[in-house]
Amino acid sequence: MSFFLIVSVFLTACKPPPSQKILAMGTFCSINLFHDGRPELYKRLFDRIIQLENKFSVNIPASEISRVNESAGKSAVKVSDETFFVTKAALDAAYATDGAFNPLILPLTRLWNVSGLNPKVPTEAEIFEAKSHCDYRTIILNENERSIFLQDEKSAMDLGGITKGFVCDELRKILVEENVKNAVLNLGGNVFIFGKNPEKKDWQVAIRDPFSGEGAALVVFLEEGSVVTSGDYERFFEKDGEVFHHIIHWKTGYPSRGDLKSVSILSQKSMVADILSTAFFVMGWDESLKFLENREKYPSLIPDDVQVLAITKDKKVLTSKNFHVKITKNEFR
Ligand code: AMP
Ligand code: MG
């Protein structure tokens, strides 16, 4: 988990009720509805997480994405509106970021298997072969039929870099519908703060120290919205003193080697924040800042409210110009 949350003490007189958790999407998903916490509402939210996991997960053979992958090189697969929507957003992001965000990364993520039980450093030949099947330009989307066709039979999609953000956006719709006042969602580091803090203070979200992977590097104060982080400490393995993490650059076939240790995106739009955190981690700081100047060209990918905070490998904290949330820094200056 890349974040942990310091929820500022809620209703001073009474302790806030604890959050509830499930294991889904390969991580802990916790929800705190505070004093709106009806059991049936928790159930509705957790059911929605599971429902979406069942559509997107490549570890579930019957998922829509698994079916698309199995039909690679053979036929187009009709999918639900939401699977089409997420795939289209992921593919648009791939074109916009020149593949820094690449939804067709599964041949490489499977090969490295960083999130699995037996990760290994592949041979050069294996990497060369796998990366030749990660060209996102071979994905064909048919908007009218709502179908996805992977032209390369050895290619396969992995939506791990976008799913949790989309799920947060979907849970938010339920919170609105159910008139929830305040909620904190934490889907394995994709944090979403819903509603203003009733103590009329900002919420505090702690950004994990990406060097130790434990404790807070700094605390961000914000009114509400999503804070999504990607970092090389989230999932990794070590071999001969070298660290190999889970975000792969398809052009090299290796875990990306940019200047950032972690990058956090703040926005009301969680799916977009999820895309950008993964992409910016690959792109590095200078390229990410340049990318943010393309707001007019990519309005849906770069929302007006987007703010970026990064911790570099040499322990500097960098922020985008419009960054207006307050940070308390400890050792990171
Ligand atoms: P995140 O934690 O959101 O940065 O997403 C990381 C996950 O996205 C990985 O575990 C993979 O499932 C997938 N992934 C890895 N590299 C990339 C990439 N370059 N573009 C898009 N998704 C990726
Ligand atoms: Mg992401």
Side-chain angles (χ1 to χ4, degrees):
M1 231 179 269
S2 53
F3 269 74
F4 61 93
L5 208 66
I6 304 172
V7 179
S8 61
V9 183
F10 196 86
L11 303 181
T12 319
C14 47
K15 224 173 136 221
S19 54
Q20 299 200 14
K21 280 193 185 76
I22 55 162
L23 197 54
M25 303 188 291
T27 187
F28 278 111
C29 298
S30 86
I31 298 178
N32 200 329
L33 300 173
F34 302 103
H35 299 293
D36 290 323
R38 289 169 272 132
E40 65 279 9
L41 182 50
Y42 274 111
K43 183 172 180 315
R44 184 171 172 202
L45 293 162
F46 287 130
D47 284 353
R48 183 75 176 128
I49 295 176
I50 305 280
Q51 186 189 40
L52 292 171
E53 180 184 25
N54 285 336
K55 287 191 173 177
F56 298 132
S57 173
V58 290
N59 300 317
I60 297 175
S63 77
E64 290 189 317
I65 295 302
S66 293
R67 283 203 293 118
V68 169
N69 289 344
E70 260 172 37
S71 304
K74 291 181 252 169
S75 56
V77 174
K78 281 194 186 193
V79 294
S80 61
D81 285 357
E82 46 210 8
T83 298
F84 191 86
F85 171 80
V86 174
T87 304
K88 182 164 186 334
L91 185 57
D92 288 348
Y95 280 99
T97 63
D98 193 23
F101 187 91
N102 185 350
L104 208 63
I105 199 79
L106 196 69
L108 280 165
T109 47
R110 279 238 163 100
L111 181 65
W112 283 91
N113 195 22
V114 176
S115 309
L117 290 177
N118 297 305
K120 63 164 175 71
V121 180
T123 63
E124 288 294 333
E126 286 172 323
I127 290 174
F128 187 80
E129 160 69 12
K131 76 180 184 185
S132 73
H133 300 295
C134 294
D135 187 343
Y136 55 88
R137 291 166 298 195
T138 59
I139 302 176
I140 307 281
L141 299 185
N142 184 324
E143 195 111 34
N144 293 330
E145 288 184 357
R146 288 270 181 274
S147 70
I148 307 172
F149 178 40
L150 308 186
Q151 295 182 90
D152 176 348
E153 67 174 330
K154 290 191 178 162
S155 72
M157 288 206 299
D158 171 354
L159 297 180
I162 180 172
T163 301
K164 285 184 277 173
F166 175 73
V167 173
C168 273
D169 289 340
E170 288 299 295
L171 297 183
R172 181 195 201 186
K173 289 182 189 163
I174 298 178
L175 298 174
V176 171
E177 225 180 271
E178 299 269 1
N179 288 317
V180 170
K181 277 202 210 70
N182 305 102
V184 173
L185 315 174
N186 187 348
L187 311 185
N190 266 59
V191 173
F192 194 91
I193 313 270
F194 182 81
K196 301 239 163 34
N197 188 325
E199 286 204 326
K200 302 202 167 38
K201 292 197 279 197
D202 282 344
W203 300 93
Q204 301 180 34
V205 177
I207 308 280
R208 192 164 285 248
D209 175 348
F211 292 91
S212 67
E214 284 166 19
L218 41 90
V219 178
V220 170
F221 289 71
L222 78 163
E223 272 188 18
E224 54 181 326
S226 206
V227 187
V228 181
T229 298
S230 292
D232 66 4
Y233 60 92
E234 290 179 303
R235 289 176 191 186
F236 64 88
F237 69 97
E238 265 183 82
K239 176 88 174 108
D240 302 331
E242 218 181 319
V243 172
F244 300 95
H245 61 80
H246 69 312
I247 300 175
I248 315 280
H249 196 344
W250 79 282
K251 288 187 181 161
T252 63
Y254 280 81
S256 68
R257 291 173 171 147
D259 56 345
L260 303 180
K261 194 74 188 151
S262 78
V263 56
S264 305
I265 311 289
L266 281 63
S267 171
Q268 290 290 339
K269 299 193 171 160
S270 199
M271 180 183 79
V272 171
D274 198 359
I275 294 173
L276 293 180
S277 69
T278 309
F280 286 4
F281 185 78
V282 172
M283 288 155 82
W285 185 248
D286 291 343
E287 213 185 304
S288 302
L289 276 195
K290 248 188 250 147
F291 185 77
L292 286 176
E293 289 168 12
N294 290 322
R295 193 160 283 154
E296 276 175 23
K297 199 167 164 197
Y298 307 117
S300 51
L301 184 57
I302 310 176
D304 291 341
D305 70 343
V306 76
Q307 299 177 61
V308 187
L309 171 132
I311 300 178
T312 64
K313 286 184 176 159
D314 53 3
K315 294 200 168 184
K316 284 198 196 82
V317 176
L318 304 174
T319 60
S320 53
K321 263 196 223 116
N322 65 339
F323 197 90
H324 61 76
V325 297
K326 197 166 102 197
I327 310 172
T328 55
K329 295 178 199 164
N330 301 337
E331 66 180 285
F332 296 89
R333 283 171 199 283

